[in-house]
Amino acid sequence: MEKDMKRILLALIAAATATSAMAGIGDIQSGGGTGPLKVKSAMVAIKSPTGVCPAQAKLKAWIYTNKAGPVTYMMIRHGQGASVPQVVNTKKVNGLYVAEISQNMVIVNAIDTQYRIAAKGAGNYTLSNWAPLKANCV
């Protein structure tokens, strides 16, 4: 289970890096300038539990910016709205400015929903992909 999560996360990071480079937003790597901190992209992945509930689902989110600093974010559950805004700091990792958010969610009943993250520095919120969370609780 842990190896599967690592493989999923590595594949998502590789895809995001390739997509960013191909989309022409390579300025994720530039940074430290005097302009405002801007969110370039955000991404969410969830490892849904299998088997008997209660069980834990693992959520990871990444927020990429143009430089280090504080970012406001909210987790959004489809059909239920957003969480209270929180702040996380991005830092330079392997040449990119990123904040990583990890959450464990206890699943007690069958669930079939989606989550995403809304993040902002200066300007409007940037929305991530929807990540599915599904558990049958057999």
Side-chain angles (χ1 to χ4, degrees), residues 91-104:
K91 59 184 177 181
K92 195 170 190 174
V93 177
N94 296 327
L96 300 174
Y97 294 95
V98 63
E100 184 177 309
I101 299 158
S102 297
Q103 291 182 358
N104 287 325

Side-chain angles (χ1 to χ4, degrees), residues 74-99:
M74 297 180 290
M75 294 304 302
I76 301 168
R77 181 173 171 179
H78 190 269
Q80 291 193 355
S83 67
V84 174
Q86 298 180 57
V87 176
V88 65
N89 284 303
T90 61
K91 59 184 177 181
K92 195 170 190 174
V93 177
N94 296 327
L96 300 174
Y97 294 95
V98 63

Side-chain angles (χ1 to χ4, degrees), residues 22-129:
M22 294 176 80
I25 51 176
D27 62 337
I28 287 177
Q29 295 180 8
S30 64
T34 58
L37 183 139
K38 294 181 182 178
V39 172
K40 296 297 185 178
S41 65
M43 186 171 45
V44 174
I46 299 175
K47 175 69 174 167
S48 294
T50 57
V52 179
C53 293
Q56 284 197 358
K58 296 179 186 221
L59 179 143
K60 289 241 183 198
W62 299 268
I63 302 168
Y64 293 91
T65 61
N66 63 327
K67 64 182 186 178
V71 175
T72 301
Y73 74 94
M74 297 180 290
M75 294 304 302
I76 301 168
R77 181 173 171 179
H78 190 269
Q80 291 193 355
S83 67
V84 174
Q86 298 180 57
V87 176
V88 65
N89 284 303
T90 61
K91 59 184 177 181
K92 195 170 190 174
V93 177
N94 296 327
L96 300 174
Y97 294 95
V98 63
E100 184 177 309
I101 299 158
S102 297
Q103 291 182 358
N104 287 325
M105 298 181 282
V106 176
I107 307 300
V108 294
N109 296 314
I111 188 169
D112 187 1
T113 191
Q114 301 176 78
Y115 283 86
R116 73 176 171 185
I117 193 168
K120 75 178 214 155
N124 295 325
Y125 279 95
T126 297
L127 298 173
S128 74
N129 59 301

